């Protein structure tokens, strides 16, 4: 059943070619904007805080292409729409756990975005302009594993915010809050090494930093292999905590449901 949901979401994402092309163009434009910003920030400097301009360009490209939260934003929007329309009742009557179905749909959606948008853009940019390679083969392996942790964390955060829609009954504000919250705390736009030291140490311990910052820090060799291993374990531990949070929210959520006229 999980696989069926994931395949269905994948097919839905690729069913409309115009939507795929529009998203591809939008992501390419966002990458261009971020690279332009960091190029302007660096000015004539080749290195700032021990990080080169090309490392920041690589960070920006991969952060947008691989670690964006597009699919989780849509998940929150869809849950909110189901609550407003009352269709959520039909979902709850079906013989499967609703949070698990949300996770499966997000897996399919995320996979389509990475395969059809993220990886092609990375390949084109790497071929045309060049990107900084992983610090070592070991760093590349840990980076690949942390990409999986990142994807799971994005989905878990999206499910948590989606379930919070049962309390606010209008997910529109949650969408924007989640986008800003994740963009800041994940290090997706500004890496944590540019944060004030005290704030950086706090944010680095939060689960959101495993969405973008920690995978990219490992990729660029900002931590050694032993540190990369600890980072991976920390991400897995936070995922276990997030699963527990989702289970607790779901147990509390069903008692909050109110449907107009029923």
């Amino acid at each position: 059943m999980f696989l069926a949901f994931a395949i269905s979401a994948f097919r839905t994402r690729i069913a409309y070619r115009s939507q795929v092309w529009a998203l591809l163009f939008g992501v390419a434009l966002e990458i261009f904007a971020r690279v332009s910003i960091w190029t302007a920030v660096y000015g004539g400097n080749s290195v700032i805080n021990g990080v080169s301009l090309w490392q920041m360009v690589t960070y920006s490209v991969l952060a947008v292409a691989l670690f964006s939260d597009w699919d989780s934003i849509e998940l929150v929007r869809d849950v909110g729409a189901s609550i407003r329309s009352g269709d959520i009742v039909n979902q709850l009557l079906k013989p499967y756990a609703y949070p698990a179905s949300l996770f499966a749909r997000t897996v399919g959606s995320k996979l389509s975005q990475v395969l059809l948008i993220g990886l092609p853009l990375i390949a084109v940019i790497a071929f045309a302009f060049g990107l900084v390679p992983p610090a070592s083969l070991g760093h590349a392996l840990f980076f690949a594993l942390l990409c999986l942790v990142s994807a799971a964390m994005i989905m878990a955060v999206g499910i948590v915010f989606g379930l919070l829609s049962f309390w606010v009954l209008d997910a529109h504000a949650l969408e924007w809050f989640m986008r800003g919250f994740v963009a800041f705390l994940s290090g997706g736009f500004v890496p944590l090494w540019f944060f004030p030291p005290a704030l950086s140490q706090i944010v680095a311990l939060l689960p959101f930093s495993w969405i973008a910052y920690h995978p990219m820090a490992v990729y660029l060799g900002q931590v050694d292999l032993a540190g990369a291993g600890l980072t991976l374990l920390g991400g897995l531990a936070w995922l276990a905590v997030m699963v527990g949070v989702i289970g607790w929210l779901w147990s509390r959520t069903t008692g909050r449901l109110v449907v107009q006229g029923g």
Side-chain angles (χ1 to χ4, degrees):
M1 185 178 295
F2 183 96
L3 182 61
F5 277 125
I7 293 175
S8 175
F10 184 92
R11 290 177 174 174
T12 300
R13 295 289 302 182
I14 66 176
Y16 303 98
R17 294 182 181 179
S18 58
Q19 182 180 5
V20 174
W21 281 107
L23 186 56
L24 181 64
F25 176 77
V27 175
L29 188 62
E30 184 175 355
I31 290 175
F32 174 77
R34 292 198 184 190
V35 171
S36 299
I37 290 172
W38 283 111
T39 302
V41 169
Y42 271 71
N45 300 311
S46 59
V47 178
I48 296 179
N49 285 359
V51 181
S52 71
L53 174 60
W54 276 110
Q55 285 180 314
M56 273 311 309
V57 168
T58 302
Y59 188 107
S60 298
V61 171
L62 297 184
V64 176
L66 297 180
F67 307 129
S68 181
D69 57 353
W70 316 308
D71 36 33
S72 292
I73 294 296
E74 293 181 0
L75 182 151
V76 176
R77 184 182 304 127
D78 291 344
V79 172
S82 296
I83 293 173
R84 288 194 302 272
S85 66
D87 182 62
I88 190 66
V89 174
N90 295 326
Q91 297 292 335
L92 298 181
L93 290 175
K94 294 178 180 178
Y96 53 75
Y98 185 58
S101 71
L102 293 178
F103 186 82
R105 293 188 182 100
T106 312
V107 167
S109 178
K110 184 71 176 178
L111 186 60
S112 69
Q113 291 173 355
V114 170
L115 292 180
L116 300 179
I117 297 172
L119 293 181
L121 280 175
I122 291 172
V124 170
I125 295 172
F127 177 78
F129 305 103
L131 293 174
V132 175
S136 69
L137 182 60
H139 284 86
L141 176 60
F142 277 114
F143 173 72
L145 295 175
L146 283 167
C147 282
L148 298 178
V149 172
S150 170
M153 190 67 72
I154 291 173
M155 298 173 199
V157 171
I159 293 172
V160 167
F161 275 87
L163 294 180
L164 288 177
S165 300
F166 284 82
W167 272 264
V168 300
L169 300 181
D170 185 1
H172 184 70
L174 281 177
E175 294 175 35
W176 287 98
F177 180 75
M178 175 183 165
R179 179 180 289 274
F181 201 67
V182 171
F184 177 72
L185 295 180
S186 70
F189 187 75
V190 179
L192 269 58
W193 54 67
F194 289 129
F195 281 30
L199 180 60
S200 174
Q201 292 176 6
I202 295 173
V203 175
L205 296 176
L206 299 178
F208 309 100
S209 59
W210 270 267
I211 292 176
Y213 169 73
H214 285 302
M216 287 308 307
V218 169
Y219 180 95
L220 295 174
Q222 294 295 314
V223 295
D224 57 22
L225 291 179
L230 292 176
T231 299
L232 178 61
L233 291 177
L236 294 175
W238 267 119
L239 280 177
V241 172
M242 293 297 291
V243 170
V245 170
I246 291 171
W248 179 80
L249 276 177
W250 179 240
S251 68
R252 305 276 297 175
T253 290
T254 50
R256 297 285 307 179
L257 182 62
V258 177
V259 180
Q260 295 290 342

